[in-house]
Amino acid sequence: MKQTILSTAIALISGLAITTAVQAAADEPIQPIKPPASINIGMVELGKKLYFDPRLSKSGIMSCNTCHNLSMGGTDNIPTSVGDKWQQGPINSPTVLNSSLNLAQFWDGRAADLKAQAGGPIANPGEMAFTHTLAINVLESIPAYVREFKLVFGKDKIDIDQVTLAIAEFEKTLVTPNSRFDQWLLGNKAALNKTELEGYALFKDSGCVACHNGEAVGGNSFQKMGLVEPYKTTATAEGRAGVTGKDADRFNFKVPTLRNVEMTYPYFHDGAANTLTEAVDIMGRLQLGKKFTKDENAKIVAFLKTLTGDQPTFTLPILPPSSDATPRPTPFK
Amino acid sequence: MKQTILSTAIALISGLAITTAVQAAADEPIQPIKPPASINIGMVELGKKLYFDPRLSKSGIMSCNTCHNLSMGGTDNIPTSVGDKWQQGPINSPTVLNSSLNLAQFWDGRAADLKAQAGGPIANPGEMAFTHTLAINVLESIPAYVREFKLVFGKDKIDIDQVTLAIAEFEKTLVTPNSRFDQWLLGNKAALNKTELEGYALFKDSGCVACHNGEAVGGNSFQKMGLVEPYKTTATAEGRAGVTGKDADRFNFKVPTLRNVEMTYPYFHDGAANTLTEAVDIMGRLQLGKKFTKDENAKIVAFLKTLTGDQPTFTLPILPPSSDATPRPTPFK
C-alpha cells in the first residue's frame, strides 16, 4: 500500500514535470521533431529501393542517394552537385532529412510536396537525364519490381505516380528526432551546456529565429538572400521569382532547415560557405545587419551543433536484378 | 528411455546424412561458401565507413561503393565504369562479393590481395583521382575518424596501410553463403529442380568447370580470353601480360567468379555481354569450341541463377562530418 502511494506520488510529480517541460517547449520558437505518423511500411520499403536505384538515371550510376546521401546528412557535401556527364549543377543539393517538414520543395519551392519533387531530378537533363517513360520501362522489365509494385499499389501497371509516391513515403521516414536540443526542449536540462544555451539565447535575441523556427528550424518560409546587404554570388539561380514571375521575388529562397546543419555543409543555395562559422558571420551581416563577435559566433555554432538528431537507421536495400529485357544504361552516349 | 534411444537413432541417422552430403559436396568441383573466419569487428566497422566515404575521391562524390555497389551484386552493372570527370574506364568493374576468395585482385591480378587492391582506385587518375596523401589529410582532419582509427589500430597517426587494411577487412565479410546451389551441395536435394540439375551436369560435362570451380566458381586461375576462337573487342586491356611482361600472357585474364552472376551483368572484362544467355553462348564457342543448343543454354543459365547467395546485410553507415579544417573536394577543378 505504501509502495502504491509512493508510486502514485512519483507518477504525479513526473507527470507534472513532463507537463511543465512540454509547456516550456511550446513557449520556445523551435519544437521537437515528432516521428512520422501514418506510414505505409510496404510503400516505404519499395520507396527505399527506388531511392537507391541508379537505374532511374540515364547513366545507370546516379540515384536519389547520389546527391542526397543518407550517409552524409542527406546531402552530397559539395557546393553544387555533379549531374549526368559531370555537368555542374546550378544550386546546392538541399538535405532530404526532415524535408517532409518543408512548406514546399526545392530552393525555389516549385514543387508542392515530396511526391512532386521526386520526379524532377529523374527527368532533369542536367541531373539524372532520364525520362519518366524510360524509367517506367526499366522498372516494368524487372520482375521483382513488378511484383512489389503490384503488392503495394494493387495495380497491373507501374506508373510514375506510384514511383514518386513510394519515394516520398520513404522520405517521410527520414526525420531526425532526439537531438540534444530536442532532449533539452523535452525537459532534460542537462542536455545542453552553458555555451550552447548562450548560443541559443543569442540565436533568439539576434533575430535568427525570425526565419529559422518551428520543428525544422527553417523550411517554412521564403526569404530574400541579402536582406540588409546584397549577397554576392556567381550562381545564376534567381529563386522564387522563377516560380511566381514576380520581380519582388528575385533572390527569395526557401529558408533551409538547420536540423543536422553540422552535417549539411557547404551552406547557402550556392554552397559558398564552407563552415558554420562563415555561414553565421554572413547571415548576421547580410540578413540582420549584425556583426557577431568571434565569441558570439562560436556560441551560436555550438548551439547549432546540438541540432544533430538521430540519423535514419536502416539496412542497405538489395535491388532486384535487371532481366534480359531491361533497357541497358547509356553512360557514354 | 525410449525417447532417448529414438533421439540417439535420429542423431546417428542425421549425422550419417550430413557426412554423406559433405562427402558428396567434396566430390563436386564446386564447394559451398564458408563464412569468413577471424574477423576484427572494429576494423570491419571502420572499413565499412571508408568503403562508403566519397571523401576518399578528389570530387567528393565517388566511393568504393560507387563502382562496387553493394545494392547491386557488388558491381555497377555498366560495361565499364565512370571515373572522375566522367572518364570512361578501360575495363568492367568486377564484383567485390566473395573477392576475398580470388587468387589475386583486378582482372590482371596485379594486386596480391584485397589490401593491395584497395589503394588502387583512390589514386587512379581515371577513377577516384585522389592521392593517398590527400586522402590521409582528409581523414586526419575528421575528429571522429581520428578517434576510431586510434581505437582500432592503437596508433596516433592514420596511414594508408590502416585505411586499406580496414577496407579489406570489411570486404572479407562480403561473402554470399546459402545460395540454393550451396544448399544442394550441403544435402538439401530439393533445393534445385530438374532443369537446374541438368544445367549443372552440362556445366560440368561441357568443361565450363575446368576454369569455373572451387568455392567462388572461378577466381582461382588466369585463362586466355578466346582460347579456341579469338575474342573480338574494342577494349585495349591486354590482361596478365601487363603484369608479367610475357607475350604469352596477352589476353589472359583472371577467371571471374560466377557467384551471384545473375546480379553482376554485363559480362566479360569489357562488359560486352548483356545477358547470361549471350555470355554462355560466347564462352561455349570461344573457350570450349562448343555451340550450345538453345535448350542447353537455358539449362546452364538456370543453373547459374542458383549461385545467387545471401547478400551482405548491414546498416548503411553514417559518416562522421568533416571539420572546418577538412580540405574540401574539388569536383570541377
Side-chain angles (χ1 to χ4, degrees):
Chain A
M1 180 71 179
K2 193 173 170 186
Q3 186 61 41
T4 310
I5 292 170
L6 187 62
S7 301
T8 309
I10 289 172
L12 281 170
I13 294 165
S14 305
L16 196 67
I18 288 167
T19 309
T20 312
V22 170
Q23 278 174 347
D27 291 343
E28 296 294 341
I30 299 171
Q31 284 80 49
I33 287 188
K34 290 184 290 292
S38 308
I39 286 296
N40 178 328
I41 286 292
M43 209 181 284
V44 166
E45 288 305 311
L46 174 57
K48 187 190 298 174
K49 290 195 186 83
L50 296 169
Y51 189 90
F52 278 87
D53 202 327
R55 287 170 296 188
L56 297 183
S57 70
K58 173 181 175 292
S59 65
I61 62 161
M62 291 192 167
S63 69
C64 305
N65 196 61
T66 302
C67 298
H68 304 282
N69 191 328
L70 292 168
S71 295
M72 312 201 306
T75 66
D76 53 12
N77 290 152
I78 53 176
T80 63
S81 296
V82 176
D84 188 68
K85 295 211 163 79
W86 216 265
Q87 293 172 80
Q88 181 163 7
I91 209 157
N92 182 260
S93 287
T95 179
V96 68
L97 297 179
N98 306 301
S99 55
S100 56
L101 305 174
N102 289 337
L103 84 163
Q105 302 302 325
F106 295 116
W107 280 95
D108 58 8
R110 66 184 183 275
D113 54 27
L114 290 175
K115 182 183 177 304
Q117 188 279 335
I122 295 173
N124 187 325
E127 301 186 12
M128 294 162 84
F130 220 25
T131 72
H132 291 172
T133 305
L134 291 172
I136 298 301
N137 289 349
V138 165
L139 296 171
E140 283 275 9
S141 74
I142 300 168
Y145 266 135
V146 170
R147 287 193 295 274
E148 194 166 342
F149 272 91
K150 182 155 191 181
L151 185 73
V152 170
F153 292 101
K155 292 184 182 169
D156 284 329
K157 296 290 281 180
I158 301 175
D159 62 37
I160 193 68
D161 277 342
Q162 295 168 26
V163 172
T164 53
L165 202 59
I167 293 173
E169 194 75 1
F170 169 59
E171 290 175 340
K172 281 190 213 164
T173 70
L174 304 176
V175 293
T176 62
N178 203 33
S179 67
R180 286 199 293 118
F181 187 74
D182 283 5
Q183 291 174 34
W184 179 83
L185 281 177
L186 289 165
N188 175 10
K189 292 307 168 195
L192 299 191
N193 66 30
K194 185 167 166 288
T195 307
E196 292 157 352
L197 284 169
E198 287 173 5
Y200 178 45
L202 276 164
F203 186 82
K204 289 196 285 189
D205 298 345
S206 310
C208 311
V209 86
C211 300
H212 292 286
N213 56 46
E215 206 175 333
V217 201
N220 52 0
S221 68
F222 297 99
Q223 301 291 343
K224 179 143 313 213
M225 178 68 170
L227 201 60
V228 179
E229 272 183 48
Y231 181 65
K232 293 197 178 95
T233 179
T234 54
T236 54
E238 57 173 3
R240 191 75 188 141
V243 179
T244 64
K246 294 180 188 164
D247 201 50
D249 285 333
R250 283 196 77 213
F251 306 126
N252 268 18
F253 292 95
K254 188 177 63 188
V255 175
T257 173
L258 296 183
R259 292 283 180 183
N260 312 292
V261 72
E262 179 185 12
M263 303 180 78
T264 61
Y265 53 88
Y267 306 106
F268 305 147
H269 68 275
D270 57 358
N274 262 328
T275 66
L276 279 174
T277 304
E278 203 179 331
V280 166
D281 178 67
I282 293 171
M283 283 283 101
R285 289 189 288 106
L286 270 56
Q287 304 300 100
L288 302 168
K290 186 170 167 65
K291 173 73 188 142
F292 291 118
T293 67
K294 202 175 166 184
D295 180 64
E296 288 170 331
N297 187 307
K299 284 174 178 168
I300 295 173
V301 169
F303 154 66
L304 292 174
K305 289 185 177 179
T306 70
L307 294 169
T308 304
D310 290 345
Q311 300 298 296
T313 300
F314 56 86
T315 302
L316 183 76
I318 303 299
L319 304 178
S322 295
S323 73
D324 289 3
T326 306
R328 286 341 198 211
T330 54
F332 300 111
K333 272 179 196 160
Chain B
M1 181 65 179
K2 195 174 169 185
Q3 185 62 40
T4 310
I5 292 170
L6 186 64
S7 302
T8 310
I10 290 170
L12 281 171
I13 294 165
S14 307
L16 195 68
I18 288 168
T19 310
T20 311
V22 169
Q23 277 173 346
D27 291 342
E28 297 294 341
I30 299 171
Q31 284 80 50
I33 287 188
K34 291 184 289 289
S38 308
I39 285 297
N40 178 326
I41 286 291
M43 208 180 284
V44 167
E45 287 305 312
L46 174 56
K48 187 190 298 175
K49 290 195 185 83
L50 296 169
Y51 189 91
F52 278 86
D53 202 325
R55 287 170 297 189
L56 296 182
S57 70
K58 174 182 175 291
S59 65
I61 62 161
M62 291 192 167
S63 68
C64 305
N65 195 62
T66 302
C67 298
H68 304 282
N69 191 328
L70 292 167
S71 296
M72 312 201 304
T75 66
D76 53 11
N77 290 150
I78 54 177
T80 64
S81 295
V82 176
D84 189 67
K85 295 212 165 74
W86 215 266
Q87 293 172 79
Q88 181 163 6
I91 209 156
N92 181 260
S93 287
T95 179
V96 69
L97 297 179
N98 306 302
S99 55
S100 57
L101 305 175
N102 290 337
L103 85 162
Q105 303 301 327
F106 295 116
W107 280 94
D108 58 8
R110 67 184 181 275
D113 54 27
L114 289 175
K115 181 182 177 305
Q117 188 279 333
I122 295 173
N124 186 324
E127 301 184 14
M128 293 162 85
F130 220 27
T131 71
H132 291 173
T133 306
L134 291 171
I136 298 301
N137 290 350
V138 165
L139 295 171
E140 283 276 7
S141 75
I142 300 169
Y145 267 135
V146 170
R147 286 194 296 273
E148 193 165 344
F149 271 92
K150 183 155 191 181
L151 185 74
V152 169
F153 292 101
K155 292 183 181 169
D156 283 328
K157 297 289 280 181
I158 301 174
D159 62 37
I160 192 69
D161 277 341
Q162 294 168 28
V163 172
T164 54
L165 204 58
I167 292 173
E169 195 74 1
F170 169 60
E171 290 175 339
K172 281 191 213 163
T173 69
L174 304 176
V175 293
T176 61
N178 203 33
S179 66
R180 287 199 291 119
F181 187 75
D182 283 6
Q183 292 175 33
W184 179 84
L185 282 176
L186 289 165
N188 175 10
K189 293 307 169 195
L192 300 191
N193 66 30
K194 186 166 165 288
T195 306
E196 291 157 352
L197 284 170
E198 287 173 3
Y200 179 45
L202 276 165
F203 186 81
K204 288 197 286 189
D205 298 345
S206 311
C208 311
V209 86
C211 299
H212 292 286
N213 55 47
E215 205 175 334
V217 200
N220 52 0
S221 68
F222 298 98
Q223 301 291 342
K224 180 143 315 213
M225 178 68 169
L227 200 60
V228 179
E229 273 182 48
Y231 181 65
K232 294 196 178 95
T233 178
T234 53
T236 55
E238 57 174 3
R240 190 74 186 141
V243 180
T244 64
K246 293 180 189 164
D247 200 50
D249 285 334
R250 284 196 74 214
F251 306 125
N252 268 17
F253 293 95
K254 189 177 62 188
V255 175
T257 175
L258 296 183
R259 292 284 180 183
N260 313 292
V261 72
E262 179 186 11
M263 302 180 78
T264 60
Y265 55 88
Y267 307 106
F268 306 148
H269 69 275
D270 57 357
N274 263 328
T275 66
L276 279 175
T277 304
E278 203 179 332
V280 167
D281 179 66
I282 293 172
M283 283 283 102
R285 288 189 291 105
L286 270 56
Q287 303 301 101
L288 303 168
K290 188 171 167 66
K291 173 73 189 146
F292 291 118
T293 66
K294 202 175 166 184
D295 179 64
E296 287 171 332
N297 188 307
K299 283 174 178 169
I300 295 173
V301 169
F303 154 66
L304 292 173
K305 289 185 176 177
T306 71
L307 294 169
T308 304
D310 289 347
Q311 299 299 295
T313 301
F314 56 86
T315 302
L316 183 76
I318 303 299
L319 304 178
S322 295
S323 74
D324 289 3
T326 305
R328 285 342 197 212
T330 53
F332 301 110
K333 272 180 195 156

